[in-house]
Amino acid sequence: QCLLSGSWRSDTGCRMVVSILGEDGSFSGSYLPGPAAGDSEILTSPLEGSQQDTGLVPQPIFSFTVRWRLQARTTVFLGQCYVGTNGEETLHALWLLREAAKSPDEDWKATR
């Protein structure tokens, strides 16, 4: 069974710490991007999310949002937690980053 709570590190060096899951699957924690982010002013930022009930599926779907500190941007992650044949848990996720646009004309370049 895959449990999202704990510490995670991505292939690019990002770090995420997830608190103990609530009974409803909700969780909170912190996120720190790795060196690949290229911005030395990015601080550890809070995250909030939810995980599917592991009673329904042993490899649950999850989502969470990171609200970046001192920056006008938010990132959302959507993925699934997998347990390999060796028992190791891995997360596979897609993400979208949204920065504040100065005007509707610049909206097209605000989401990556």
PDB file of all heavy atoms in Angstrom, residues 14-30:
ATOM      1  N   CYS A  14      14.147  18.394  -6.124  1.00  0.00           N
ATOM      2  CA  CYS A  14      13.082  19.033  -5.347  1.00  0.00           C
ATOM      3  C   CYS A  14      12.794  18.172  -4.123  1.00  0.00           C
ATOM      4  O   CYS A  14      12.893  16.955  -4.184  1.00  0.00           O
ATOM      5  CB  CYS A  14      11.812  19.165  -6.174  1.00  0.00           C
ATOM      6  SG  CYS A  14      12.004  20.196  -7.638  1.00  0.00           S
ATOM      7  N   ARG A  15      12.420  18.830  -3.030  1.00  0.00           N
ATOM      8  CA  ARG A  15      12.108  18.101  -1.803  1.00  0.00           C
ATOM      9  C   ARG A  15      10.688  18.441  -1.351  1.00  0.00           C
ATOM     10  O   ARG A  15      10.278  19.596  -1.394  1.00  0.00           O
ATOM     11  CB  ARG A  15      13.107  18.437  -0.714  1.00  0.00           C
ATOM     12  CG  ARG A  15      14.496  17.932  -1.032  1.00  0.00           C
ATOM     13  CD  ARG A  15      15.443  18.127   0.144  1.00  0.00           C
ATOM     14  NE  ARG A  15      15.410  19.456   0.722  1.00  0.00           N
ATOM     15  CZ  ARG A  15      16.280  20.415   0.444  1.00  0.00           C
ATOM     16  NH1 ARG A  15      17.248  20.210  -0.419  1.00  0.00           N
ATOM     17  NH2 ARG A  15      16.198  21.590   1.040  1.00  0.00           N
ATOM     18  N   MET A  16       9.984  17.417  -0.889  1.00  0.00           N
ATOM     19  CA  MET A  16       8.624  17.593  -0.407  1.00  0.00           C
ATOM     20  C   MET A  16       8.484  16.805   0.890  1.00  0.00           C
ATOM     21  O   MET A  16       8.954  15.675   0.983  1.00  0.00           O
ATOM     22  CB  MET A  16       7.639  17.063  -1.452  1.00  0.00           C
ATOM     23  CG  MET A  16       6.209  17.100  -1.009  1.00  0.00           C
ATOM     24  SD  MET A  16       5.047  16.618  -2.305  1.00  0.00           S
ATOM     25  CE  MET A  16       5.266  14.841  -2.334  1.00  0.00           C
ATOM     26  N   VAL A  17       7.864  17.427   1.868  1.00  0.00           N
ATOM     27  CA  VAL A  17       7.563  16.751   3.127  1.00  0.00           C
ATOM     28  C   VAL A  17       6.054  16.810   3.302  1.00  0.00           C
ATOM     29  O   VAL A  17       5.461  17.891   3.277  1.00  0.00           O
ATOM     30  CB  VAL A  17       8.268  17.419   4.324  1.00  0.00           C
ATOM     31  CG1 VAL A  17       7.862  16.743   5.623  1.00  0.00           C
ATOM     32  CG2 VAL A  17       9.785  17.380   4.137  1.00  0.00           C
ATOM     33  N   VAL A  18       5.430  15.640   3.472  1.00  0.00           N
ATOM     34  CA  VAL A  18       3.981  15.540   3.624  1.00  0.00           C
ATOM     35  C   VAL A  18       3.668  15.094   5.051  1.00  0.00           C
ATOM     36  O   VAL A  18       4.236  14.114   5.534  1.00  0.00           O
ATOM     37  CB  VAL A  18       3.391  14.530   2.616  1.00  0.00           C
ATOM     38  CG1 VAL A  18       1.905  14.331   2.844  1.00  0.00           C
ATOM     39  CG2 VAL A  18       3.656  14.998   1.188  1.00  0.00           C
ATOM     40  N   SER A  19       2.769  15.825   5.695  1.00  0.00           N
ATOM     41  CA  SER A  19       2.357  15.469   7.047  1.00  0.00           C
ATOM     42  C   SER A  19       1.524  14.188   7.016  1.00  0.00           C
ATOM     43  O   SER A  19       1.206  13.659   5.965  1.00  0.00           O
ATOM     44  CB  SER A  19       1.531  16.608   7.649  1.00  0.00           C
ATOM     45  OG  SER A  19       0.332  16.768   6.910  1.00  0.00           O
ATOM     46  N   ILE A  20       1.160  13.726   8.172  1.00  0.00           N
ATOM     47  CA  ILE A  20       0.296  12.545   8.269  1.00  0.00           C
ATOM     48  C   ILE A  20      -1.033  12.859   7.597  1.00  0.00           C
ATOM     49  O   ILE A  20      -1.600  13.932   7.767  1.00  0.00           O
ATOM     50  CB  ILE A  20       0.085  12.156   9.743  1.00  0.00           C
ATOM     51  CG1 ILE A  20       1.431  11.745  10.363  1.00  0.00           C
ATOM     52  CG2 ILE A  20      -0.937  11.038   9.873  1.00  0.00           C
ATOM     53  CD1 ILE A  20       1.375  11.533  11.853  1.00  0.00           C
ATOM     54  N   LEU A  21      -1.519  11.906   6.831  1.00  0.00           N
ATOM     55  CA  LEU A  21      -2.791  12.076   6.139  1.00  0.00           C
ATOM     56  C   LEU A  21      -3.951  12.118   7.121  1.00  0.00           C
ATOM     57  O   LEU A  21      -3.999  11.339   8.073  1.00  0.00           O
ATOM     58  CB  LEU A  21      -3.016  10.918   5.160  1.00  0.00           C
ATOM     59  CG  LEU A  21      -2.064  10.867   3.981  1.00  0.00           C
ATOM     60  CD1 LEU A  21      -2.085   9.492   3.355  1.00  0.00           C
ATOM     61  CD2 LEU A  21      -2.443  11.916   2.961  1.00  0.00           C
ATOM     62  N   GLY A  22      -4.899  13.023   6.852  1.00  0.00           N
ATOM     63  CA  GLY A  22      -6.115  13.058   7.648  1.00  0.00           C
ATOM     64  C   GLY A  22      -7.025  11.898   7.267  1.00  0.00           C
ATOM     65  O   GLY A  22      -6.818  11.241   6.239  1.00  0.00           O
ATOM     66  N   GLU A  23      -8.031  11.654   8.070  1.00  0.00           N
ATOM     67  CA  GLU A  23      -8.960  10.557   7.784  1.00  0.00           C
ATOM     68  C   GLU A  23      -9.643  10.731   6.438  1.00  0.00           C
ATOM     69  O   GLU A  23     -10.020   9.750   5.800  1.00  0.00           O
ATOM     70  CB  GLU A  23     -10.003  10.445   8.896  1.00  0.00           C
ATOM     71  CG  GLU A  23      -9.437   9.880  10.184  1.00  0.00           C
ATOM     72  CD  GLU A  23     -10.505   9.669  11.233  1.00  0.00           C
ATOM     73  OE1 GLU A  23     -11.674   9.444  10.862  1.00  0.00           O
ATOM     74  OE2 GLU A  23     -10.158   9.736  12.416  1.00  0.00           O
ATOM     75  N   ASP A  24      -9.822  11.980   6.011  1.00  0.00           N
ATOM     76  CA  ASP A  24     -10.472  12.254   4.731  1.00  0.00           C
ATOM     77  C   ASP A  24      -9.475  12.267   3.566  1.00  0.00           C
ATOM     78  O   ASP A  24      -9.834  12.592   2.435  1.00  0.00           O
ATOM     79  CB  ASP A  24     -11.223  13.582   4.790  1.00  0.00           C
ATOM     80  CG  ASP A  24     -10.302  14.768   5.047  1.00  0.00           C
ATOM     81  OD1 ASP A  24      -9.095  14.566   5.325  1.00  0.00           O
ATOM     82  OD2 ASP A  24     -10.785  15.915   4.992  1.00  0.00           O
ATOM     83  N   GLY A  25      -8.210  11.942   3.819  1.00  0.00           N
ATOM     84  CA  GLY A  25      -7.194  11.919   2.776  1.00  0.00           C
ATOM     85  C   GLY A  25      -6.480  13.240   2.574  1.00  0.00           C
ATOM     86  O   GLY A  25      -5.579  13.349   1.749  1.00  0.00           O
ATOM     87  N   SER A  26      -6.858  14.259   3.331  1.00  0.00           N
ATOM     88  CA  SER A  26      -6.210  15.564   3.186  1.00  0.00           C
ATOM     89  C   SER A  26      -4.827  15.544   3.828  1.00  0.00           C
ATOM     90  O   SER A  26      -4.562  14.772   4.736  1.00  0.00           O
ATOM     91  CB  SER A  26      -7.071  16.664   3.808  1.00  0.00           C
ATOM     92  OG  SER A  26      -7.183  16.462   5.200  1.00  0.00           O
ATOM     93  N   PHE A  27      -3.952  16.397   3.321  1.00  0.00           N
ATOM     94  CA  PHE A  27      -2.626  16.522   3.903  1.00  0.00           C
ATOM     95  C   PHE A  27      -2.083  17.917   3.657  1.00  0.00           C
ATOM     96  O   PHE A  27      -2.591  18.679   2.836  1.00  0.00           O
ATOM     97  CB  PHE A  27      -1.658  15.464   3.345  1.00  0.00           C
ATOM     98  CG  PHE A  27      -1.432  15.526   1.853  1.00  0.00           C
ATOM     99  CD1 PHE A  27      -0.463  16.355   1.301  1.00  0.00           C
ATOM    100  CD2 PHE A  27      -2.187  14.741   1.003  1.00  0.00           C
ATOM    101  CE1 PHE A  27      -0.248  16.401  -0.067  1.00  0.00           C
ATOM    102  CE2 PHE A  27      -1.979  14.782  -0.370  1.00  0.00           C
ATOM    103  CZ  PHE A  27      -1.009  15.602  -0.902  1.00  0.00           C
ATOM    104  N   SER A  28      -1.050  18.265   4.392  1.00  0.00           N
ATOM    105  CA  SER A  28      -0.341  19.522   4.196  1.00  0.00           C
ATOM    106  C   SER A  28       1.135  19.220   4.368  1.00  0.00           C
ATOM    107  O   SER A  28       1.518  18.129   4.769  1.00  0.00           O
ATOM    108  CB  SER A  28      -0.814  20.585   5.190  1.00  0.00           C
ATOM    109  OG  SER A  28      -0.587  20.141   6.504  1.00  0.00           O
ATOM    110  N   GLY A  29       1.958  20.194   4.058  1.00  0.00           N
ATOM    111  CA  GLY A  29       3.386  19.981   4.180  1.00  0.00           C
ATOM    112  C   GLY A  29       4.154  21.150   3.613  1.00  0.00           C
ATOM    113  O   GLY A  29       3.667  22.277   3.579  1.00  0.00           O
ATOM    114  N   SER A  30       5.369  20.854   3.134  1.00  0.00           N
ATOM    115  CA  SER A  30       6.223  21.897   2.575  1.00  0.00           C
ATOM    116  C   SER A  30       6.930  21.384   1.327  1.00  0.00           C
ATOM    117  O   SER A  30       7.096  20.175   1.155  1.00  0.00           O
ATOM    118  CB  SER A  30       7.240  22.371   3.603  1.00  0.00           C
ATOM    119  OG  SER A  30       8.041  21.282   4.023  1.00  0.00           O
TER     120      SER A  30
END
